[in-house]
Structure formats: C-alpha cells, structure tokens
C-alpha cells in the first residue's frame, strides 16, 4: 500500500505537468494562427518557433511556419520549413505544392542527376506515406498473415487451406515491404543530411579554408547535401554532383 501511495505521488505531478505543457503548446499554436490570420507574420513566427523550442514538432507546425516566412518573402526559411514538413509527411499535397512554389523563387536552377529508374520508382512509392502510416500497414499485414496461417492450420477444408496458405505468403511479403518502407522513411527524418542555404549568396570553396579557391556561388534557398565536417566547415554536394566546402553558418540543416 505504501509503495502504491509513493507511485501515485510521483505519477500525479508528472501527469499534471504533461497536461499543462500540452495546453501551453496548444495555446501557443492557436495564438500563432491568429497572428498569421491577422497578417502579423513576425509574431506568428515567434510563436511557432517557441513551440519548436519546446520540442513539439509536426508537419502542420512546420507548414504554417513556412507559410509565415513565405509571406515575409524569406524564401530560404520558407523552403527550410516546407522541407521539414515534407520529411514528416511526404504524402501531403499542400506541402509539396508550396515547396515547389517556393523553389521557383530561388536564384540557383541546378540540373539534377537523374536517379536510376528503379531507385526513383521505389523512392516515389515509399514517399506515398509517412513512417507511422507504413508501420500501421505493416501491423495490419502481420495480423492478417497470422489469421490466414490459423485458417491454414485449423481449417478442415482443402480449398480454404490452399487459399489461406498462398495469401499468407502474399501478406507476409507485404509485411516485410511495409517495414522496410517505414524504416526508410524514419531514417530519412532521423538521419537527414540535407540543408538549405540561408545566406543571400556564398562562395563554395575548394577546401575548408577562407584562402582556398572559389568553385561556384550558391544563393539562399538552394538545397545541399552535407557530407563531412572539418571544424566550422562542411563539405557539401549539390544536385548536379558538384562538391565544395562551406562554413556551417551559411546553411541550416533540414
């Protein structure tokens, strides 16, 4: 009994704190949306950023933050937050549309190296849903597989045993595919190695040094892939395969 009382004394304050924290985030989000609706985009951004500082993120939050930056003509930070929203929910058409729209305002028009068609097809397929949605589909496939195996094991009718056996293989295979897609989407979010240039224009260097040669110029809003770090410098690669070095202060990680 004494242990139960002690546990309750620990859990109850934590539950109250969690509830208050959730209400605080909800009130910030409502206030931010009101500021946005009334055209006070700077105040809206401050409230959205305050929510992120509390560790509460979502596709909707990043999408709204991107919209607020877009209204202020800060295209780099608009793209940055649209990209973050897209990472969390790649199937959202509004996010994709606004991201593509914002990209039309960037200076750099870089020709991408085309992916092998099979790789491109797999990536497009995995981007249909978020990691959580793929995980849910995997769980459903696993349950159906177990049901079908039970029918195969216990049914006395030949046709049912035959059909349940083959369909169990199909749903078992789907379970594996869905798990792989879920892990792929999760890795894209957790191990994202892309960034957005936030400086108006910057020279990409041949080595991690201010005294090295300038290779090419990048402008705000351009997406780069980060490769390796040396002190305050980072080796980056752009969509056409060109590489060089930038100070980390010139970009923000997606």
């Amino acid at each position: 009994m004494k242990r139960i009382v002690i546990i309750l004394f620990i859990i109850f304050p934590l539950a109250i704190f969690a509830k208050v924290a959730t209400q605080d985030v909800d009130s910030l989000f409502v206030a931010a949306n009101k500021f946005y609706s009334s055209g006070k985009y700077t105040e809206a951004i401050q409230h959205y950023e305050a929510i992120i500082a509390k560790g509460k993120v979502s596709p909707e939050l990043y999408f709204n933050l991107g919209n607020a930056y877009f209204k202020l003509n800060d295209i780099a930070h608009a793209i940055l937050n649209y990209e973050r929203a897209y990472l969390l929910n790649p199937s959202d058409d509004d996010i994709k549309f606004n991201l593509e729209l914002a990209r039309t305002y960037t200076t750099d028009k870089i020709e991408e190296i085309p992916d092998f068609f099979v790789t491109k097809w797999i990536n497009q397929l995995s981007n249909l849903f978020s990691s959580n949605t793929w995980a849910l589909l995997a769980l459903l496939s696993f349950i159906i597989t177990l049901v079908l195996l039970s029918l195969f094991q216990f049914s006395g009718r030949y046709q049912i045993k035959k059909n349940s056996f083959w369909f169990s293989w199909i749903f078992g295979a789907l379970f594996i595919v869905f798990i792989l897609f879920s892990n792929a989407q999760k890795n894209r979010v957790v191990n994202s190695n892309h960034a957005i240039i936030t400086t108006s224009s910057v020279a990409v260097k041949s080595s991690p040094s201010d005294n090295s040669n300038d290779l090419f110029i990048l402008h705000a809003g351009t997406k780069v892939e980060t490769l390796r770090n040396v002190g305050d410098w980072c080796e980056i690669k752009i969509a056409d395969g060109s590489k060089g070095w930038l100070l980390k202060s010139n970009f923000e990680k997606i």
Side-chain angles (χ1 to χ4, degrees), residues 4-62:
I4 295 175
V5 172
I6 294 173
I7 291 172
L8 288 175
F9 269 107
I10 295 173
I11 293 176
F12 185 71
L14 290 175
I16 296 296
F17 176 78
K19 184 176 181 180
V20 171
T22 301
Q23 290 175 341
D24 185 33
V25 168
D26 290 341
S27 63
L28 280 172
F29 192 70
V30 170
N33 290 340
K34 287 182 178 178
F35 279 125
Y36 181 88
S37 299
S38 59
K40 298 179 180 179
Y41 304 118
T42 301
E43 291 84 350
I45 289 171
Q46 291 171 349
H47 280 68
Y48 290 135
E49 296 281 11
I51 297 172
I52 294 172
K54 292 177 179 292
K56 304 293 184 179
V57 298
S58 68
E60 295 77 18
L61 175 60
Y62 283 132

Side-chain angles (χ1 to χ4, degrees), residues 77 80 84 194-198 248 250-254:
H77 285 93
L80 174 66
R84 288 170 173 170
H194 287 85
I196 301 297
I197 302 295
T198 52
K248 296 176 185 177
N250 291 308
F251 59 80
E252 286 190 43
K253 281 289 197 73
I254 297 172

Side-chain angles (χ1 to χ4, degrees), residues 58-247:
S58 68
E60 295 77 18
L61 175 60
Y62 283 132
F63 179 70
N64 289 0
L65 182 56
N67 289 338
Y69 275 117
F70 188 83
K71 290 292 186 179
L72 292 178
N73 203 34
D74 187 342
I75 302 302
H77 285 93
I79 291 175
L80 174 66
N81 286 283
Y82 288 148
E83 288 278 8
R84 288 170 173 170
Y86 181 74
L87 264 182
L88 296 177
N89 189 6
S91 62
D92 190 294
D93 290 334
D94 290 333
I95 294 173
K96 287 188 284 188
F97 177 83
N98 283 22
L99 176 57
E100 291 301 323
L101 175 63
R103 283 172 176 167
T104 63
Y105 287 82
T106 59
T107 301
D108 300 323
K109 309 300 178 185
I110 302 170
E111 192 72 26
E112 292 189 25
I113 299 175
D115 292 326
F116 182 55
F117 78 95
V118 175
T119 304
K120 183 178 180 180
W121 180 79
I122 292 174
N123 288 335
Q124 289 175 341
L125 186 59
S126 67
N127 284 337
L128 287 176
F129 303 112
S130 66
S131 176
N132 289 340
T133 302
W134 283 121
L136 178 60
L137 290 173
L139 177 61
L140 291 174
S141 299
F142 181 71
I143 292 172
I144 293 173
T145 301
L146 291 180
V147 171
L148 290 170
L149 288 174
S150 297
L151 285 174
F152 171 76
Q153 184 70 26
F154 299 109
S155 176
R157 298 179 59 180
Y158 171 76
Q159 194 61 39
I160 292 178
K161 290 177 73 71
K162 178 183 176 182
N163 291 338
S164 60
F165 174 79
W166 288 113
F167 278 108
S168 68
W169 275 93
I170 293 173
F171 279 96
L174 287 174
F175 165 73
I176 294 173
V177 171
F178 294 158
I179 283 292
L180 291 175
F181 282 169
S182 177
N183 286 334
Q185 291 297 79
K186 183 179 180 180
N187 287 333
R188 285 180 66 247
V189 175
V190 175
N191 301 316
S192 175
N193 62 340
H194 287 85
I196 301 297
I197 302 295
T198 52
T199 306
S200 58
S201 65
V202 60
V204 180
K205 299 289 187 174
S206 59
S207 63
S209 169
D210 287 321
N211 299 323
S212 60
N213 295 328
D214 294 347
L215 298 179
F216 49 90
I217 303 294
L218 293 179
H219 299 83
T222 299
K223 185 177 181 178
V224 300
E225 181 181 355
T226 59
L227 301 177
R228 57 192 174 112
N229 300 314
V230 175
D232 293 331
W233 292 83
C234 179
E235 187 181 24
I236 59 97
K237 182 171 71 172
I238 58 177
D240 66 2
S242 301
K243 296 180 182 180
W245 292 85
L246 283 178
L247 284 170

